[in-house]
Structures are given as structure tokens and as C-alpha cells.
Amino acid sequence: MTVTLSEKAEFHLRAFLRGSATDANGATKGVRFSVKNGGCSGYEYAMDITSKPQPDDLVIQQGKVLVYVDAKSAPLLEGVVVDFVEGVMESGFKFINPNATGNCGCGKSFKAGECTPTGVPCGN
């Protein structure tokens, strides 16, 4: 499983997590990536801060950021690069997904193949 954070994305996530590095039990927080049905292209990316990953999440250490990947979303996130862009018209995290066959104009949702990749049918 490969999800890569660009240097800028890691920096911004690390800074965000630094203020809340542990929860009440002392557990280290990380970021959980998943894909949900929705958006104008079929799928949309989800990013959540958590110290309690799901039991079947894949765990990846990216520099100093702990990354959890939803197992059901893994086929759609294989090879994804998460970047952080700053500009006049757009600022925030950007997903560069080699599995996407189409993207929404806003870049927040995508289509993959015939909307039926392994394990994640569109419309559920």
C-alpha cells in the first residue's frame, strides 16, 4: 500500500497534529485517509484526525506523521500522492490519484474506471 505525503503536506499535517499530539489516554494521533461515495464524480476523499484507527486500517509512517488508510478504500488510494497547495484561488490538500479516470472541476471528487474498483462499488 502506497500513500505518499509531499514535503508540504507532511509539514502542514505535522504542524496541525503538534497541537493535539496525544489524546486523554496518551495515544498519538495520526491522519486517516478513506474514500466515500459522493461528490459529482462518484467518489470523494475523506481525511480525519484520529488516535483510534479501525482494526483493519493499514498503517504507514510518513516522516513524522502516522497515516492510517481505510482497508476498503485502499484499492482506490494505491499510489496516491497528497500535496498541499497555496494560492490565490485555492489552498489546501490536493490528491494526485493515478487510479482516477476523471475528476470533478473542484478537485474534491473523482471517478475510477467504470465506478466499480475492487471492493468499493459506486453507489453503496
Side-chain angles (χ1 to χ4, degrees), residues 2 23 60:
T2 304
D23 67 8
I60 304 165

Side-chain angles (χ1 to χ4, degrees), residues 16-17 20-23 27-33 47-54 57 66-69:
F16 182 76
L17 292 169
S20 61
T22 59
D23 67 8
T28 301
K29 290 188 179 184
V31 61
R32 184 172 191 263
F33 293 104
M47 220 169 75
D48 301 297
I49 303 301
T50 186
S51 58
K52 296 179 182 179
Q54 298 299 313
D57 279 354
L66 193 55
V67 175
Y68 306 113
V69 178

Side-chain angles (χ1 to χ4, degrees), residues 93-113:
F93 292 99
K94 179 179 180 178
F95 292 80
I96 302 153
N97 189 342
N99 304 301
T101 58
N103 291 304
C104 176
C106 67
K108 304 297 180 195
S109 67
F110 68 100
K111 181 177 181 179

Side-chain angles (χ1 to χ4, degrees), residues 30-42:
V31 61
R32 184 172 191 263
F33 293 104
S34 61
V35 172
K36 300 185 184 321
N37 288 317
C40 52
S41 294

